[in-house]
Amino acid sequence: MENMETIDSTSSGQSINEAHKEALRGASLYMKIHSIIMIVFLSIATLGLLVLVSVGPDQIMAEMQNQLNTQEERMVFEAMMPMMTGMGLFMLFIIGGYLYASTRLLSSANSLGAVSYTGSVNDLYNGFKAMKKFWIFSGIITILVVILVIVFVARLVPQLIEMQQG
Amino acid sequence: MENMNQNENSFPEEMLREVRTMAGWMTFMAIFAIVMGAFGIIGNLAGLAQAPNAQLVVSILATIASIYMAVILIKKANAFRQFSFNGSSESLLEGLQAVHRYWMYSLVLMVANFIITLIF
């Protein structure tokens, strides 16, 4: 990668010119702000979730049950109870995945920002590589969340129907 | 990177391959966002028909904005896919401008959602 050349910014429209650099500068700035906000929020969410997990699921469940007012709410909560056990860890996994994706976005923003000053193909390659990782991770996590929701609904609905009939 | 093949437009083949894969995932995420947005709008419209309120209207507007974002994402993916096949500088520029637009709107939407959450 060391020998990858820097493309001349004044060449004939076949490389990185001033228009590219301007677009890269803007994109890099917004990507950086976005990824930093995401990293901060996801880190807070991770800490919060870790605190909840360390407090203990039983205590959380009991506290949540106390907040419920109607019979229907209690029925839904009881049906959800068996599935709640591994939920905290799964959420932690999902948030961790998004956190990693956000760091890739930040890395991509840094590389693309560097291209706007250096015009280096090496930096552009690194920027695209990190951006690809961001989109792949986001996609995989989205697929996992969809699977989780489908499993959750598929298990919850029959239990609710059974409870209503009973 | 000694063996990195470079096409006639000076962009290495490895980079174009990365961009091609990235464009595929971008398209997937955009289509997913459009489908989810459509479901969201249908759900909100149903809610609006039953009991109209400002929160649902704002929610519909936010969903429309996220669908628009997904459309930009598709444009971006198409530009990058084209760039990955022809290595053209124009396609790269189009893709980078779409990246700029996408993240700028994304940030605006994020702030708007935050404010909406605070209000409601």
Side-chain angles (χ1 to χ4, degrees):
Chain A
M1 194 63 87
E2 292 77 20
N3 296 330
M4 221 182 220
E5 80 229 45
T6 296
I7 291 180
D8 180 13
S9 61
T10 58
S11 61
S12 59
Q14 295 293 329
S15 56
I16 299 170
N17 55 36
E18 277 311 311
H20 290 98
K21 288 184 177 181
E22 202 175 314
L24 281 165
R25 260 191 291 273
S28 160
L29 173 70
Y30 290 117
M31 282 163 76
K32 264 182 207 166
I33 298 172
H34 199 282
S35 56
I36 288 168
I37 291 173
M38 288 298 285
I39 288 169
V40 170
F41 271 96
L42 290 170
S43 301
I44 293 168
T46 308
L47 284 176
L49 215 57
L50 282 173
V51 168
L52 283 179
V53 169
S54 65
V55 166
D58 293 340
Q59 208 170 329
I60 297 164
M61 294 294 176
E63 187 58 40
M64 282 168 77
Q65 211 154 11
N66 288 338
Q67 308 275 325
L68 305 174
N69 300 319
T70 63
Q71 181 64 28
E72 285 79 17
E73 281 177 351
R74 280 191 204 98
M75 272 172 64
V76 173
F77 188 78
E78 275 169 28
M80 281 165 68
M81 277 282 271
M83 290 173 268
M84 295 292 248
T85 326
M87 197 65 97
L89 287 175
F90 191 82
M91 288 286 284
L92 213 57
F93 176 74
I94 297 285
I95 290 174
Y98 271 123
L99 201 56
Y100 177 74
S102 299
T103 61
R104 292 303 84 216
L105 186 65
L106 185 60
S107 159
S108 172
N110 287 333
S111 298
L112 294 181
V115 184
S116 69
Y117 296 105
T118 62
S120 156
V121 179
N122 186 16
D123 287 333
L124 189 66
Y125 176 69
N126 288 336
F128 280 139
K129 218 158 95 172
M131 204 194 276
K132 184 191 85 174
K133 277 187 187 159
F134 166 76
W135 285 109
I136 288 180
F137 260 84
S138 301
I140 289 172
I141 293 165
T142 305
I143 292 169
L144 286 177
V145 170
V146 169
I147 291 171
L148 177 78
V149 170
I150 290 170
V151 169
F152 200 75
V153 171
R155 287 180 66 176
L156 186 65
V157 170
Q159 286 186 39
L160 285 176
I161 292 170
E162 201 176 302
M163 278 175 141
Q164 274 183 332
Q165 284 169 348
Chain B
M1 197 52 73
E2 293 77 21
N3 298 325
M4 202 176 238
N5 304 318
Q6 298 208 347
N7 66 9
E8 54 182 335
N9 294 326
S10 307
F11 295 110
E13 193 53 46
E14 277 82 351
M15 186 173 88
L16 299 182
R17 264 203 301 272
E18 297 278 343
V19 171
R20 210 168 299 147
T21 313
M22 179 179 75
W25 281 96
M26 277 179 186
T27 309
F28 163 74
M29 290 295 283
I31 291 170
F32 181 80
I34 289 172
V35 171
M36 293 311 289
F39 279 127
I41 287 179
I42 292 167
N44 282 325
L45 283 176
L48 212 56
Q50 283 181 335
N53 64 56
Q55 195 176 349
L56 285 174
V57 175
V58 172
S59 180
I60 289 172
L61 291 176
T63 314
I64 290 170
S66 63
I67 289 176
Y68 177 63
M69 296 280 302
V71 172
I72 295 176
L73 190 56
I74 286 183
K75 277 185 189 167
K76 180 166 96 163
N78 286 342
F80 278 134
R81 190 173 294 113
Q82 208 177 340
F83 166 65
S84 76
F85 286 119
N86 60 19
S88 135
S89 186
E90 286 76 25
S91 306
L92 175 64
L93 178 62
E94 205 181 312
L96 291 176
Q97 282 169 341
V99 170
H100 181 183
R101 235 181 8 257
Y102 177 81
W103 289 111
M104 187 175 69
Y105 293 158
S106 177
L107 202 60
V108 171
L109 199 62
M110 189 191 258
V111 173
N113 276 332
F114 184 69
I115 293 168
I116 289 166
T117 311
L118 284 182
I119 293 171
F120 293 105

